[in-house]
C-alpha cells in the first residue's frame, strides 16, 4: 500500500517522443534588385487637322536599367535614337553608317548615387549624385540631404553642371502631412516656387515661375487606381490634362485663346505614354 501511494504521489518521468526529422524546404533564391523599364511615347499634334506625317511623332522608345546594391544605386538609359539613324542624316546604307553613328552615344545617360555613411561631420541622409550624358558630354555632380531639421522633413539638393558651368539646387520642406513647400534656384536667382496642400481628396499645387514671371496651378485627384490632373499656366494660357491608369498615361495639352468677346480652344496635342518596370 505504501508503494502504491508513493507511485501516485511521485509518478516516474514520462519519456518524450524522439523528434522525427522534418523534410527541408528549398529556399528560392532572392531576386536581385535589378529593374528594366521600357517606355514608349506616341504624340499627335494639332488634333482635328487630319493625321499625317508632320503632326504624328513617335513612337519614342527608351529603356532604363537600374541597379541597387547596399548604398549604391546606378542606372543606364538609352533610346531608339541611340541605335537608329535618322533618314535625313543617312546618305549611305544603314549597315555602313550605323557603327559611326552609334559611336556618338546619343541619348545614353548614366547615373550613380551613393549614400554616404554617417562619419564625423557627415550626418545621416547625405547622398552623392552624379549624372553623365555620354553623347553630349554633359556631366552633373551634386549632393542631396534628406532628413529632419527642427522637426520638419527637409530635402536639400545642390549640383554643378558643366554644360552651363553653373550651380543650381532645390529645397523641399514638409510643414506637415498636408502641406509642402518647394523651391528651385540657380546661382543667379530664384527660379520657381510651389506650395502643395491637400483639399479633401484633391491635391492643389499653386506655383510661380520667377524666370517667366508666370503663375500656374494644378489639381490632382485620385480615384481608385486612376489619377486625374489638370494644369493651367496663366501667362501662356496653356491647359494640360493628364489621366494615368497603371502603366498608361494620357496627356492632352492645348491653349485657350481669348479676345474681347470670345474664348477659343486651339487644336490640342495628345500624347500617350506606356511605361512599366520589370524585375530581372
Amino acid at each position: 500500500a505504501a508503494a502504491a501511494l508513493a507511485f501516485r504521489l511521485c509518478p516516474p518521468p514520462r519519456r518524450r517522443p524522439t523528434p522525427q526529422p522534418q523534410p527541408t524546404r528549398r529556399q528560392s533564391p532572392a531576386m536581385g534588385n535589378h529593374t528594366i523599364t521600357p517606355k514608349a511615347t506616341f504624340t499627335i499634334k494639332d488634333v482635328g487637322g487630319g493625321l499625317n506625317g508632320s503632326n504624328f511623332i513617335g513612337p519614342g522608345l527608351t529603356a532604363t536599367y537600374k541597379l541597387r546594391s547596399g548604398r549604391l544605386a546606378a542606372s543606364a538609359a538609352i533610346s531608339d535614337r541611340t541605335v537608329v539613324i535618322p533618314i535625313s542624316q543617312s546618305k549611305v546604307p544603314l549597315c555602313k553608317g550605323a557603327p559611326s553613328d552609334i559611336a556618338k552615344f546619343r541619348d545614353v545617360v548614366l547615373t550613380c548615387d551613393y549614400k554616404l555613411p554617417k562619419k564625423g561631420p557627415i550626418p545621416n541622409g547625405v547622398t552623392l549624385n552624379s549624372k553623365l550624358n555620354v553623347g553630349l558630354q554633359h556631366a552633373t555632380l551634386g549632393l542631396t540631404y534628406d532628413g529632419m531639421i527642427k522637426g520638419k522633413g527637409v530635402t536639400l539638393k545642390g549640383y554643378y553642371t558643366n554644360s552651363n558651368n553653373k550651380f543650381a539646387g532645390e529645397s523641399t520642406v514638409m510643414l506637415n502631412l498636408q502641406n509642402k513647400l518647394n523651391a528651385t534656384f540657380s546661382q543667379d536667382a530664384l527660379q520657381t516656387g510651389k506650395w502643395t496642400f491637400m483639399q479633401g481628396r484633391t491635391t492643389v499645387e499653386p506655383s510661380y515661375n520667377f524666370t517667366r514671371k508666370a503663375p500656374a496651378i494644378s489639381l490632382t485627384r485620385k480615384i481608385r487606381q486612376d489619377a486625374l490632373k489638370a494644369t493651367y499656366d496663366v501667362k501662356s494660357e496653356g491647359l494640360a490634362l493628364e489621366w494615368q491608369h497603371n502603366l498608361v498615361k494620357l496627356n492632352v495639352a492645348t491653349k485657350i485663346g481669348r479676345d474681347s468677346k470670345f474664348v477659343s480652344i486651339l487644336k490640342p496635342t495628345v500624347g500617350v505614354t506606356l511605361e512599366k518596370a520589370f524585375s530581372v
Side-chain angles (χ1 to χ4, degrees):
L5 181 60
F7 179 82
R8 292 179 180 178
L9 295 177
C10 301
R14 296 180 179 179
R15 290 185 178 182
R16 294 182 178 179
T18 303
Q20 298 296 325
Q22 300 292 329
T24 58
R25 296 183 179 179
R26 294 184 59 185
Q27 299 292 335
S28 59
M31 182 178 296
N33 204 349
H34 307 258
T35 59
I36 294 180
T37 306
K39 180 179 179 181
T41 303
F42 303 84
T43 304
I44 303 176
K45 299 174 62 178
D46 298 333
V47 176
L51 183 61
N52 52 65
S54 61
N55 63 358
F56 179 74
I57 305 174
L61 305 176
T62 63
T64 304
Y65 169 76
K66 294 183 179 180
L67 165 68
R68 292 184 179 272
S69 178
R71 296 179 177 272
L72 181 67
S75 71
I78 63 173
S79 77
D80 55 331
R81 285 165 36 91
T82 306
V83 295
V84 176
I85 305 173
I87 298 177
S88 60
Q89 299 179 9
S90 178
K91 299 180 180 180
V92 296
L94 181 62
C95 59
K96 294 182 180 180
S100 60
D101 200 80
I102 292 175
K104 297 179 182 179
F105 295 102
R106 292 186 304 174
D107 293 348
V108 176
V109 179
L110 307 177
T111 65
C112 184
D113 300 329
Y114 180 75
K115 292 184 178 181
L116 301 177
K118 181 180 179 181
K119 187 176 182 181
I122 302 177
N124 279 328
V126 177
T127 302
L128 178 64
N129 311 112
S130 61
K131 180 180 179 180
L132 174 64
N133 187 312
V134 182
L136 299 177
Q137 292 296 305
H138 290 172
T140 301
L141 184 64
L143 287 174
T144 300
Y145 170 74
D146 192 357
M148 302 291 292
I149 297 180
K150 294 186 177 181
K152 307 294 183 182
V154 176
T155 301
L156 301 175
K157 298 180 181 180
Y159 51 89
Y160 166 80
T161 305
N162 69 343
S163 60
N164 56 11
N165 197 30
K166 289 185 178 182
F167 288 91
E170 180 180 359
S171 62
T172 303
V173 179
M174 291 289 299
L175 302 178
N176 49 49
L177 295 178
Q178 296 184 342
N179 288 270
K180 179 174 66 175
L181 299 177
N182 175 270
T184 62
F185 54 89
S186 66
Q187 67 182 42
D188 300 324
L190 181 65
Q191 293 179 327
T192 64
K194 182 172 66 174
W195 174 28
T196 303
F197 63 93
M198 297 294 298
Q199 186 68 32
R201 299 174 58 185
T202 303
T203 302
V204 185
E205 294 176 297
S207 61
Y208 189 82
N209 189 311
F210 294 92
T211 304
R212 298 175 50 243
K213 297 181 179 180
I217 187 171
S218 68
L219 306 175
T220 305
R221 182 72 176 265
K222 289 187 176 181
I223 304 175
R224 297 181 181 179
Q225 297 182 351
D226 298 349
L228 304 175
K229 183 177 182 179
T231 303
Y232 181 70
D233 188 298
V234 177
K235 184 174 183 179
S236 65
E237 298 182 339
L239 175 65
L241 303 176
E242 178 182 300
W243 168 73
Q244 183 172 0
H245 177 80
N246 294 335
L247 57 87
V248 181
K249 182 187 294 186
L250 174 66
N251 294 279
V252 179
T254 186
K255 288 188 176 182
I256 301 177
R258 293 183 299 177
D259 54 26
S260 58
K261 295 182 179 181
F262 302 100
V263 176
S264 60
I265 298 179
L266 304 183
K267 295 177 181 179
T269 296
V270 178
V272 179
T273 302
L274 306 176
E275 183 177 8
K276 184 175 177 61
F278 298 91
S279 297
V280 295

